Amino acid sequence: MSPAALTPAQLVLWTGQHLAPNSPQYHCIFTFELRGQLDIDRFRAAYGALTAECDNMRTVFRTHDGEPRQEVLPTALVELAVTPWPGSREALEGEIAARGQELFNLDTACVDAVLWQLAENHHVFFLNQHHLIVDAWGVSVQYRRLVEIYAGERGAGATPSDQLPSFQTYRERLPSEPVSLPEYWDRAVDPVPPRLLGRGNAGGTSIAPRISLTLDADRTKALLALAERDGIRHWTRGMTLFNIFGTLLTAYVHKISGERAIAFGTPAGNRGTAEERRLPAQLIEMLPLYGSVAAGDTFLDLLGRLKTSGNDFLRSARPGVIRPRLSASFNVVLNYITAEFGALSPTISCRTRWRSPGHADPGHHLRLQVHDLDATGRLTLEFDLNEAVFPAADRDKVADQFLRLLDAMTSHPNRAIDNIDILGKAERQRLLAAGQGKNVAERPASVLAAFRLQADRTPDAIAIESPDRQLTYRELDEESGRLAAFLRGRLREAGKNVALLLPRSADLLIGILGCWKAGHAYLPLPTDSPDARLEHILGETGCALILTDQERYPRVEAFAIPTVLFDADRPAILRHDPTVGIHQPGDAPAYIMYTSGSTGTPKGVVVGHASLANYIAYARRRYVTTAAPVFPLFTTVGFDLTVTSLFTPLVCGGRVIVYPEPAPGTPDLAVLRVLDDDRCDVVKLTPSHLALLRGRDYRHARISTLIVGGEQLSTDLAREVTANFPVGAELINEYGPTEATVGCIEKSFSPANDRSGAVPIGRPIDNTEALLLDEGGQLVPDGMAGELYLGGSCLAHGYYRRPDLTASRFVDHPYRSDDRLYRTGDRARRNDRGELEFLGRNDRQTKWRGYRIELEEVEHLLAAQPGIATAAVELVDPTAWSQAPVDHYCTNCGLPANYPSASFDEEGVCQLCRGFEAYESKAKAYFRTLDDFRAIFAERPSQHGTEYDCIMLLSGGKDSTYALGQLVELGLKPLAFTLDNGYISEQALDNVRRVASDLGVDVHFGSTPAMNEIFVDSLYRHCNVCNGCFKTIYTLSTQVALEKNIPYIVTGLSRGQFFETRLTEELFWEDRHAEGSIDAAILEARKMYHRADDAVRKLLDTSAFETDDVFERVRFLDFYRYTDATLDEMYAYLDRRLPWVRPTDTGRSTNCLINQVGIYVHKKEKGYNNYAFPYSWDVRIGHKQRDAALEEINEEVDTEAVQKIMGEIGYHHPGENYDRRQLVAYYTGGEDLTPDALRQRLQRHLPDYSIPQLFLPLQDMPLTASGKIDRSALAALGGRPATENVAYEAPDGEIEELLANIWRDVLHLERVGRHDQFIDLGGHSLTAIRLSARIGDAFALEVPLHRVFELPTIALQGEYLEETLTRLLAETEGEI
Amino acid sequence: MEERILTFIKRELIDDDRIDLTADDDLLGSGLIGSMAVFRLIDFLEKSFSVRIPPEEMTIDHFMTVRAMSDYVRERQAVQKV
């Protein structure tokens, strides 16, 4: 047999093996343990006969010109070796495992078999075959045939019909063309492969240990009972069990990944016919089966959907459907094996085992095999678990967890999946314990009590120091006592809220302590609060009193709330006795802190004294390493981050140093002063503050501890900054929403462990709890992302006067009644070291066209690129921007400001006009005179047998009608060609008929039944109808010209249209003898145009354009290249000479009714009228008035008429439900990086759907008052249509040119850009193989196949080749 | 209709013309035809009797016997005419 191509199913395996040449992942290893009196010679002969019958067992795979081929060797390769096994049965297991991993040389043999003789009546037959030649069903076919031959039935000398069919004969009958993708798999949106246990990548390892379990009798019984139930029972028991295990697997994957849209791969058997069922070959194709888990779904819900989906799957499956995109769309596999084996003979029993080679395809993170090979009635489940995704500790849990689901399903198929705990009691206890901070009973009742204790201990130590005054502990205690006594005079009852509108000062602290002593909660109002915020807060809280000073009094005067002025009322305050009736706060509210919240309405968080005391006691134990530590007060009191610095020093004899606020409107750079003064031991700050310290040298500073809170801390920043601080100084990352009192999870930054991304947030502090729950409120397994819930002493009381909000965010503890948990809305996971990692806000994780996108993940990766200073990624609607009213039109040509990349100079003139000024004179050389036109016909007169000189494309509009008239005046005999597209206006048609008959010209009306389909295609492809219509006209008129042997087709395109469609600026750059090369370039463009794959090419006969010959036989002439008639001249001629009437029935100057559909769609999709650009050219070259152009492009379309036509042609405009948003990356810095360079860098880490479509560099990142990125400002910036920056870019340099040639050849393309993606261009494994071989040849270098996939563009491959070549060159030089 | 379906099953799916099969025989429970064969049968029904069978209606009730099949197909034909 001559070498043959591989089937698509084989090719996938061959490629997989090629990518992992040393992995035994595709070994199909079976052992048959035979007990009984075996006739060895007979068995050996039977095996020989089997290999003679099975051409697959004699098939080998060899590469020819880089492409794999299969061929069948004429004779059996190896005789069955029979070897005595002297060792123990256990030792044989080791031998089996080792032998099963021995790699095949695919070009010599794909089978390895041996018969071990353990005892006279005990044999083990080992049969290992490469998956390329057989699948599990195929092995069972081989075995059963072996049984027949051994028994002497239909054995030697069997008739051909008894023999097994030949795979190669079967293969030859398979369609050689690629099979089109059935609708089931042809979805725009595939579910994303889930991250199992938070791990999305196997890192290339194929090692996948197998966990096996056989269901016990009870479970088997329960399962079979379930399978018999109505509504569950399906075609066959196998099919029913497949559905049940598919349901369980989908539910399990949901439980360990959190995903809801889940696909698993499962083999399409492709054995529908009797012949196929007897083929001992590899026929399966692993294809995705789609399922989903909605909130509240029961097992039965899931099963019902899977059943329908499975029907669709099986219905659609057929050989050749498989393709790389599908193979890559799942990482979980269910293999339900129905093949059966059984005894060798009535006297020889057989135990069949399918052995794991210990490896599996690296893309398969979890595979579940279910089988009952020897029909024992008990099912065996085998899990192959990729070692990188399931490390040993997690691997051990899989079987138990899966069985818990199985038991839940068999006992309660109607139970909601969300409510099922798969972890089990022990694991649940372990996770609960891991989420629990240390239990520390000993703590002060309140910060106030602790302060007073400290004041007794160190009365003369300085407690607070500010530029104008300093107070000892005794003075602070006394002054706050006097204030409390004074307040008692004003507010009879305790338990009120007192607003503090005071700058950072000693008074502020006196005020807080005074409030507490009088039994009130304080409510800090930052001095820079906007009026609206003050109004909202004071209005909502009904503050009993405002404590402020004279300077700030006017801001609160209007609220009619009693006010104490610290400065003016001081003499009165000081008259009070500091010691009487100090309130014992208990767990009364200590403060109310207002946070903005994502909804925008500020909400007041009420924090009690006990929570505050717990935090401050922890901060003292954990953060303070020196006696009498000094803390700076330099951040706003309206932010609970500042609480650490305000109170921690006061409970341990330390000191607060006040850094006053800057003048309003100036930046607060106090952090620099704090560090430069070098008087503090502990500094609490935000990562933004930390970024300000970049590049400054504090290695000899006093500081011992930096506590970072408020935002994500990147490891890069942490590393950079710690290097600039003293050795031994600790950088602590603290996490905590206001609702959980300042900080409740923390960890010390470790440069050794915390290497990439963000610094983990660590572990819960003393007496607090941090749990990760899934959407069903169940604990998630370690490693998997979940929502972070907080509990214990850290919890705030709730939101001030917002009981509904409080109830929705502070929820019942799922495992302990009476306890509450705060639902943070943050996503986190626990890493291998037991630390929590913050993954982002729940609401920053978005779904976009079915894909789950972690905006923060993209942001971090972008920010980590060299040179990028800040980055933000948002989903925004780019059309919102383009739909905004246009505020400017080019003052010269009328180009609107929302035309992509339009820019204007200070005179309001667009860059196109300015550019044209530079080449206008050169462009003039392109135009000719009517004499030249006449000369063309004189030079090349009509051929004999032709009655026409040319075809004139006549639309009935003024341009083409005028041109037709002129042709007749020139003495030519044209044939008019008019396309009746079904929507041409009646008046235009009348014009055509009238004018033609007046001129004595014949008219050919072209039409096609495919017109509507072409319109629809054009609308989807170009957002207009004209492209499709024009191409139809050119195609049909060329057919007429060829038929009638007419040498020329004359168009009536305007000069504006020339520039719009073909006369690009570049053509005039060089002073080449412009004419020849421009015409050649235009002709080339025309060839490409006709060969582009679209509806016209599909639906009309375009075979004529396949060869260049047609462009020689029929030439196109643009009439307006040869005349410069003005608008007035044209109208004058038409009015005087021809019976032409200006159309009125289209409501515009065009003569086609469907045109407005194009305009409508274009405006909707791109924001601007599709005529804006061609008209700007008409104006620019003086063929149209700017005002007339503007009037036309701003005319309203008749929406009703448009909808009606859309219905007629069958175009569905993506409606309101269509997600128009695009992923836009905003960034500062990175001037050296183009958007394409950024895109490529992200492509190394992220799936395509996570890569921003648009990269917008900004001068400055907009920030909110608290220093965070202002996302609403970014949304207002919007984006622009993504097509702009994915433009074609020509290959650059010799290497890329060479590469581009190879790509074009291999992919059969005319043009390939340097950033075009291999897969997008239709690349698949076979082309990748050819590509890698061809590149290898061209550069005399080994280019591994996987590189083609890893470096999917010419630019990336070029870079790789250049580096490799340079390195090789350097090495060679070194050798010399 | 029953006769045409029976002939198809015998010739194309079971590959045994001589087998004795009636319109009321349980095809699925008896293991006479497997799940892959069901889909060939569905293709045959759609083409031969001009019906479309949606995946959610491919249930055992409709395909257990040849009689069940023909009843269902007639039902579909009636629905599609409306």
Side-chain angles (χ1 to χ4, degrees):
Chain A
M1 169 204 148
S2 59
L6 273 55
T7 64
Q10 287 178 315
L11 199 58
V12 168
L13 296 170
W14 193 87
T15 309
Q17 184 69 76
H18 212 72
L19 290 171
N22 297 317
S23 168
Q25 64 199 38
Y26 298 125
H27 291 192
C28 293
I29 311 159
F30 278 78
T31 56
F32 305 88
E33 192 156 1
L34 307 168
R35 287 176 193 274
Q37 197 66 46
L38 184 72
D39 181 338
I40 289 182
D41 289 339
R42 194 174 176 156
F43 189 81
R44 194 161 28 190
Y47 178 79
L50 180 72
T51 54
E53 243 177 60
C54 288
D55 53 1
N56 256 14
M57 294 179 85
R58 290 177 280 118
T59 298
V60 294
F61 296 82
R62 296 173 178 165
T63 39
H64 296 256
D65 297 331
E67 286 181 31
R69 299 272 190 232
Q70 56 187 324
E71 50 193 293
V72 178
L73 303 181
T75 52
L77 300 163
V78 211
E79 284 219 341
L80 178 64
V82 180
T83 317
W85 181 258
S88 68
R89 179 69 188 80
E90 291 73 46
L92 183 61
E93 285 297 305
E95 174 65 13
I96 291 170
R99 187 155 177 155
Q101 292 197 337
E102 279 172 21
L103 299 174
F104 291 109
N105 268 330
L106 297 180
D107 51 0
T108 51
C110 296
V111 181
D112 178 33
V114 62
L115 182 72
W116 282 300
Q117 191 167 24
L118 283 84
E120 208 192 324
N121 289 340
H122 190 187
H123 296 82
V124 171
F125 172 45
F126 170 96
L127 179 62
N128 180 17
Q129 301 175 87
H130 198 281
H131 196 4
L132 274 169
I133 59 166
V134 82
D135 55 26
W137 182 276
V139 177
S140 78
V141 171
Q142 291 172 330
Y143 177 79
R144 283 197 304 269
R145 181 68 185 136
L146 188 70
V147 170
E148 281 178 4
I149 304 175
Y150 181 81
E153 294 164 17
R154 296 184 288 175
T159 59
S161 69
D162 290 332
Q163 292 195 359
L164 295 178
S166 151
F167 172 69
Q168 295 303 336
T169 312
Y170 169 78
R171 181 193 51 72
E172 279 163 20
R173 292 202 309 271
L174 288 176
S176 57
E177 289 297 301
V179 182
S180 67
L181 199 58
E183 199 185 345
Y184 181 73
W185 289 287
D186 189 17
R187 307 180 172 199
V189 180
D190 287 326
V192 189
R195 293 185 180 194
L196 306 178
L197 297 176
R199 303 185 186 101
N201 200 324
T205 182
S206 66
I207 299 177
R210 178 170 286 186
I211 306 276
S212 291
L213 71 110
T214 298
L215 295 183
D216 58 30
D218 287 346
R219 285 206 171 98
T220 306
K221 213 173 122 198
L223 205 55
L224 294 182
L226 183 71
E228 284 305 314
R229 283 176 57 151
D230 280 346
I232 293 184
R233 195 176 150 212
H234 204 35
W235 309 126
T236 56
R237 174 173 284 177
M239 207 46 209
T240 311
L241 288 173
F242 171 85
N243 285 339
I244 292 175
F245 281 102
T247 301
L248 288 169
L249 187 63
T250 303
Y252 184 59
V253 168
H254 164 64
K255 287 283 189 186
I256 63 166
S257 71
E259 288 295 339
R260 292 206 174 273
I262 292 163
F264 58 78
T266 197
N270 293 326
R271 290 180 187 272
T273 65
E275 181 200 11
E276 283 163 343
R277 280 196 297 282
R278 284 197 79 217
L279 270 172
Q282 148 53 15
L283 298 187
I284 63 153
E285 294 182 15
M286 199 71 91
L287 298 171
L289 194 154
Y290 302 105
S292 60
V293 186
D297 266 354
T298 65
F299 287 109
L300 290 180
D301 294 333
L302 217 63
L303 185 120
R305 281 201 303 273
L306 207 60
K307 202 155 111 181
T308 304
S309 185
N311 282 340
D312 218 345
F313 174 104
L314 284 174
R315 184 94 206 266
S316 313
R318 58 177 181 272
V321 163
I322 194 163
R323 53 206 68 199
R325 181 171 78 74
L326 293 181
S327 304
S329 71
F330 57 84
N331 59 6
V332 174
V333 167
L334 172 61
N335 196 359
Y336 186 90
I337 298 165
T338 48
E340 288 179 0
F341 293 82
L344 183 67
S345 77
T347 55
I348 303 171
S349 74
C350 175
R351 181 169 180 230
T352 308
R353 286 183 65 190
W354 180 21
R355 309 282 186 155
S356 159
H359 291 251
D361 190 313
H364 298 168
H365 297 174
L366 183 163
R367 294 160 59 115
L368 168 61
Q369 268 90 219
V370 183
H371 60 75
D372 179 11
L373 299 180
D374 291 326
T376 59
R378 303 248 302 264
L379 287 172
T380 296
L381 312 188
E382 296 187 309
F383 296 90
D384 293 335
L385 301 166
N386 185 286
E387 157 185 87
V389 180
F390 293 87
D394 291 322
R395 208 150 60 223
D396 294 343
K397 295 170 190 158
V398 170
D400 280 346
Q401 294 175 348
F402 194 84
L403 284 182
R404 259 181 221 109
L405 267 181
L406 190 149
D407 292 342
M409 182 171 183
T410 49
S411 57
H412 300 100
N414 253 323
R415 245 183 97 179
I417 288 160
D418 279 347
N419 299 337
I420 293 166
D421 170 23
I422 60 162
L423 297 173
K425 196 173 170 203
E427 182 64 2
R428 185 167 65 232
Q429 295 303 336
R430 194 187 69 77
L431 287 172
L432 284 172
Q436 191 72 49
K438 204 157 57 147
N439 193 358
V440 176
E442 187 193 328
R443 63 186 122 152
S446 67
V447 168
L448 179 62
F451 163 73
R452 301 210 66 225
L453 216 58
Q454 189 61 42
D456 285 346
R457 238 181 262 141
T458 55
D460 298 318
I462 305 293
I464 184 162
E465 179 190 324
S466 67
D468 53 334
R469 61 196 290 226
Q470 61 180 36
L471 285 88
T472 63
Y473 275 77
R474 180 189 295 117
E475 286 164 340
L476 180 58
D477 191 27
E478 274 182 17
E479 282 218 26
S480 56
R482 290 182 208 282
L483 175 65
F486 173 85
L487 290 178
R488 258 191 302 279
R490 296 293 190 87
L491 302 170
R492 296 275 163 224
E493 286 168 40
K496 305 281 186 203
N497 302 326
V498 175
L500 299 184
L501 180 63
L502 289 169
R504 300 197 290 256
S505 60
D507 285 352
L508 180 74
L509 212 45
I510 296 169
I512 292 171
L513 294 174
C515 284
W516 284 349
K517 286 181 174 180
H520 307 301
Y522 80 90
L523 191 159
L525 296 172
T527 53
D528 58 356
S529 306
D531 285 338
R533 193 173 165 94
L534 282 187
E535 211 167 298
H536 172 85
I537 294 174
L538 291 172
E540 179 175 274
T541 49
C543 274
L545 194 117
I546 299 170
L547 201 53
T548 182
D549 54 21
Q550 283 172 302
E551 189 187 333
R552 272 152 275 264
Y553 176 64
R555 297 203 56 198
V556 294
E557 199 177 356
F559 290 106
I561 295 172
T563 304
V564 173
L565 301 177
F566 233 118
D567 40 6
D569 292 328
R570 185 181 299 277
I573 295 169
L574 290 181
R575 279 198 296 276
H576 284 74
D577 181 347
T579 55
V580 290
I582 290 169
H583 200 83
Q584 294 301 326
D587 193 23
Y591 59 79
I592 300 176
M593 196 78 72
Y594 269 77
T595 67
S596 298
S598 45
T599 54
T601 323
K603 49 193 199 265
V605 180
V606 182
V607 175
H609 279 281
S611 302
L612 180 62
N614 186 63
Y615 172 73
I616 295 295
Y618 180 80
R620 179 194 171 173
R621 282 195 298 276
R622 174 74 178 84
Y623 303 149
V624 173
T625 52
T626 50
V630 178
F631 283 66
L633 172 57
F634 71 101
T635 46
T636 171
V637 293
F639 186 14
D640 80 339
L641 173 116
T642 308
V643 164
T644 319
S645 309
L646 269 177
F647 305 120
T648 316
L650 298 186
V651 300
C652 58
R655 177 187 302 198
V656 178
I657 298 183
V658 179
Y659 285 85
E661 286 155 30
T666 53
D668 194 344
L669 297 173
V671 65
L672 297 177
R673 293 220 324 278
V674 170
L675 271 301
D676 291 344
D677 285 357
D678 195 22
R679 298 185 58 211
C680 296
D681 301 296
V682 184
V683 178
K684 174 84 183 266
L685 70 187
T686 66
S688 303
H689 287 133
L690 215 51
L692 289 174
L693 305 180
R694 268 190 166 131
R696 300 171 79 97
D697 183 4
Y698 298 114
R699 281 174 298 173
H700 303 290
R702 165 177 174 162
I703 192 162
S704 61
T705 310
L706 287 152
I707 309 162
V708 180
E711 289 168 49
Q712 276 260 65
L713 172 63
S714 77
T715 49
D716 282 347
L717 179 60
R719 190 170 306 112
E720 199 179 327
V721 170
T722 43
N724 295 336
F725 277 85
V727 177
E730 204 178 357
L731 175 63
I732 289 163
N733 191 24
E734 193 189 63
Y735 163 92
T738 307
E739 289 85 344
T741 315
V742 191
C744 56
I745 297 175
E746 59 86 13
K747 81 157 238 138
S748 187
F749 168 65
S750 153
N753 292 336
D754 307 328
R755 295 184 155 273
S756 64
V759 179
I761 54 177
R763 295 184 170 79
I765 70 167
D766 298 350
N767 304 315
T768 67
E769 185 177 23
L771 300 179
L772 295 173
L773 305 181
D774 65 16
E775 288 175 45
Q778 302 288 323
L779 285 164
V780 302
D782 270 346
M784 180 180 144
E787 185 172 350
L788 185 56
Y789 284 70
L790 303 168
S793 296
C794 65
L795 289 195
H797 289 178
Y799 298 106
Y800 188 73
R801 290 193 180 162
R802 303 278 291 273
D804 291 351
L805 186 62
T806 303
S808 73
R809 306 306 299 183
F810 292 84
V811 298
D812 288 340
H813 196 294
Y815 302 101
R816 281 197 304 274
S817 51
D818 300 344
D819 276 356
R820 294 185 310 158
L821 288 178
Y822 169 65
R823 186 177 181 176
T824 62
D826 288 338
R827 287 162 44 73
R829 67 187 284 270
R830 192 176 279 109
N831 68 18
D832 297 341
R833 287 190 297 277
E835 296 161 344
L836 293 165
E837 293 178 351
F838 176 84
L839 299 175
R841 291 287 302 161
N842 248 350
D843 49 20
R844 295 277 293 142
Q845 181 205 50
T846 44
K847 280 274 175 150
W848 181 68
R849 298 184 190 167
Y851 292 117
R852 191 190 287 258
I853 297 181
E854 304 272 5
L855 294 174
E856 271 158 292
E857 181 183 21
V858 186
E859 273 170 14
H860 286 145
L861 277 167
L862 184 58
Q865 303 308 317
I868 299 290
T870 54
V873 175
E874 289 290 321
L875 269 176
V876 296
D877 177 0
T879 59
W881 161 83
S882 60
Q883 300 293 333
V886 176
D887 54 3
H888 180 73
Y889 297 89
C890 172
T891 49
N892 185 45
C893 72
L895 189 75
N898 62 353
Y899 181 77
S901 69
S903 65
F904 303 91
D905 64 13
E906 56 281 4
E907 289 167 50
V909 176
C910 73
Q911 85 276 21
L912 291 171
C913 286
R914 289 298 184 219
F916 186 60
E917 286 169 12
Y919 67 90
E920 186 175 4
S921 57
K922 283 185 198 166
K924 283 225 167 93
Y926 176 76
F927 295 105
R928 295 301 155 84
T929 64
L930 279 177
D931 287 339
D932 296 322
F933 188 73
R934 221 177 270 124
I936 292 170
F937 287 88
E939 259 170 47
R940 193 176 174 230
S942 331
Q943 319 279 305
H944 56 276
T946 301
E947 45 180 322
Y948 304 106
D949 293 309
C950 61
I951 287 177
M952 176 69 220
L953 302 179
L954 182 64
S955 70
K958 67 176 188 322
D959 292 313
S960 58
T961 308
Y962 174 82
L964 182 70
Q966 294 300 305
L967 293 182
V968 174
E969 308 255 338
L970 287 170
L972 296 170
K973 186 169 185 210
L975 168 68
F977 177 92
T978 299
L979 176 70
D980 183 359
N981 66 13
Y983 291 95
I984 184 167
S985 86
E986 274 308 314
Q987 290 179 1
L989 277 179
D990 286 347
N991 270 329
V992 167
R993 290 191 201 104
R994 230 176 6 246
V995 168
S997 108
D998 186 79
L999 288 169
V1001 170
D1002 296 338
V1003 187
H1004 181 106
F1005 286 98
S1007 66
T1008 165
M1011 201 61 234
N1012 285 352
E1013 219 172 311
I1014 291 169
F1015 282 137
V1016 171
D1017 179 69
S1018 181
L1019 283 168
Y1020 281 123
R1021 224 176 265 271
H1022 308 288
C1023 300
N1024 68 38
V1025 290
C1026 299
N1027 278 53
C1029 199
F1030 270 97
K1031 200 165 172 186
T1032 306
I1033 292 171
Y1034 291 138
T1035 306
L1036 296 180
S1037 62
T1038 304
Q1039 284 169 3
V1040 173
L1042 288 171
E1043 214 172 280
K1044 298 187 187 291
N1045 218 5
I1046 305 173
Y1048 295 103
I1049 293 177
V1050 182
T1051 80
L1053 293 182
S1054 73
R1055 290 195 170 184
Q1057 284 169 312
F1058 296 177
F1059 283 98
E1060 178 206 356
T1061 55
R1062 42 177 106 142
L1063 293 182
T1064 69
E1065 190 175 343
E1066 292 82 354
L1067 290 175
F1068 301 105
W1069 277 352
E1070 286 174 45
D1071 251 338
R1072 39 188 157 182
H1073 299 289
E1075 185 195 347
S1077 64
I1078 292 176
D1079 285 342
I1082 290 173
L1083 182 62
E1084 273 313 301
R1086 181 177 292 284
K1087 291 176 185 169
M1088 271 174 48
Y1089 171 78
H1090 279 290
R1091 291 166 189 168
D1093 201 13
D1094 56 15
V1096 171
R1097 186 155 185 228
K1098 205 169 73 194
L1099 300 166
L1100 302 182
D1101 177 12
T1102 57
S1103 52
F1105 296 106
E1106 297 301 326
T1107 60
D1108 284 359
D1109 182 44
V1110 63
F1111 300 99
E1112 198 50 47
R1113 286 177 60 198
V1114 182
R1115 297 190 196 178
F1116 277 82
L1117 296 173
D1118 296 312
F1119 183 73
Y1120 289 96
R1121 184 179 180 188
Y1122 301 91
T1123 181
D1124 197 13
T1126 64
L1127 204 56
D1128 289 340
E1129 284 166 7
M1130 283 160 62
Y1131 279 128
Y1133 172 82
L1134 291 171
D1135 291 344
R1136 192 187 71 238
R1137 172 68 185 80
L1138 295 176
W1140 184 81
V1141 183
R1142 294 192 197 196
T1144 53
D1145 55 359
T1146 60
R1148 48 186 54 244
S1149 66
T1150 165
N1151 47 29
C1152 175
L1153 293 160
I1154 199 172
N1155 208 2
Q1156 51 185 334
V1157 174
I1159 293 170
Y1160 172 84
V1161 170
H1162 201 275
K1163 273 188 159 177
K1164 278 275 174 205
E1165 289 298 311
K1166 306 204 166 174
Y1168 62 96
N1169 189 308
N1170 46 326
Y1171 282 86
F1173 185 62
Y1175 281 3
S1176 84
W1177 272 110
D1178 283 336
V1179 175
R1180 199 168 293 124
I1181 61 174
H1183 280 223
K1184 206 178 185 87
Q1185 297 296 317
R1186 179 176 179 272
D1187 290 347
L1190 286 186
E1191 195 182 318
E1192 280 192 44
I1193 64 174
N1194 286 327
E1195 232 170 66
E1196 288 295 320
V1197 293
D1198 178 350
T1199 325
E1200 221 169 280
V1202 164
Q1203 299 291 0
K1204 186 171 161 280
I1205 298 176
M1206 283 182 178
E1208 287 165 8
I1209 62 171
Y1211 172 76
H1212 301 285
H1213 187 66
E1216 297 306 310
N1217 295 330
Y1218 179 71
D1219 191 349
R1220 293 174 180 284
R1221 294 176 306 165
Q1222 293 189 340
L1223 203 54
V1224 181
Y1226 304 91
Y1227 61 97
T1228 61
E1231 286 80 6
D1232 303 338
L1233 291 167
T1234 62
D1236 277 327
L1238 285 171
R1239 178 173 295 111
Q1240 284 161 44
R1241 284 164 179 278
L1242 294 187
Q1243 271 165 348
R1244 296 177 193 163
H1245 306 279
L1246 293 170
D1248 278 348
Y1249 57 81
S1250 278
I1251 312 263
Q1253 281 97 348
L1254 189 66
F1255 291 84
L1256 284 184
L1258 301 177
Q1259 274 300 315
D1260 300 291
M1261 187 63 68
L1263 297 177
T1264 64
S1266 57
K1268 297 183 180 181
I1269 289 170
D1270 186 345
R1271 299 195 179 269
S1272 53
L1274 291 179
L1277 272 177
R1280 287 166 196 237
T1283 45
E1284 263 175 84
N1285 57 20
V1286 291
Y1288 167 78
E1289 207 178 307
D1292 183 17
E1294 257 180 278
I1295 291 184
E1296 291 194 7
E1297 287 288 354
L1298 211 52
L1299 279 170
N1301 281 335
I1302 299 175
W1303 278 53
R1304 279 193 293 266
D1305 249 24
V1306 169
L1307 293 162
H1308 306 297
L1309 290 172
E1310 293 282 338
R1311 187 179 85 163
V1312 181
R1314 59 192 301 262
H1315 298 308
D1316 293 349
Q1317 293 278 324
F1318 179 66
I1319 296 277
D1320 295 348
L1321 297 177
H1324 49 82
S1325 21
L1326 190 62
T1327 38
I1329 292 162
R1330 299 188 58 199
L1331 200 60
S1332 101
R1334 296 274 303 263
I1335 297 172
D1337 269 2
F1339 293 91
L1341 265 182
E1342 187 73 15
V1343 182
L1345 186 55
H1346 62 91
R1347 286 273 171 217
V1348 175
F1349 291 104
E1350 284 165 16
L1351 307 166
T1353 66
I1354 288 179
L1356 290 169
Q1357 290 179 357
E1359 196 184 319
Y1360 165 77
L1361 286 170
E1362 188 149 4
E1363 276 169 22
T1364 316
L1365 291 170
T1366 316
R1367 185 170 45 77
L1368 288 175
L1369 207 62
E1371 281 170 11
T1372 335
E1373 277 170 8
E1375 278 164 23
I1376 294 164
Chain B
M1 185 182 287
E2 278 88 347
E3 271 314 307
R4 281 181 71 188
I5 299 175
L6 280 167
T7 311
F8 175 80
I9 293 175
K10 286 190 216 169
R11 292 219 178 121
E12 300 293 324
L13 301 183
I14 305 176
D15 204 11
D16 185 356
D17 237 350
R18 294 151 298 178
I19 197 165
D20 188 23
L21 196 66
T22 74
D24 294 306
D25 283 341
D26 181 352
L27 300 166
L28 296 164
S30 64
L32 259 175
I33 64 172
S35 43
M36 287 308 284
V38 174
F39 293 98
R40 294 186 57 211
L41 188 55
I42 287 170
D43 279 339
F44 166 79
L45 295 176
E46 288 197 340
K47 288 202 185 86
S48 309
F49 306 108
S50 308
V51 287
R52 205 188 74 76
I53 301 173
E56 53 276 11
E57 293 190 13
M58 297 174 192
T59 60
I60 193 160
D61 308 346
H62 295 149
F63 293 89
M64 182 97 81
T65 63
V66 170
R67 193 167 315 283
M69 261 173 249
S70 39
D71 288 349
Y72 170 69
V73 167
R74 285 193 195 96
E75 206 177 289
R76 283 300 300 173
Q77 283 173 331
V79 170
Q80 281 174 214
K81 267 191 202 118
V82 176

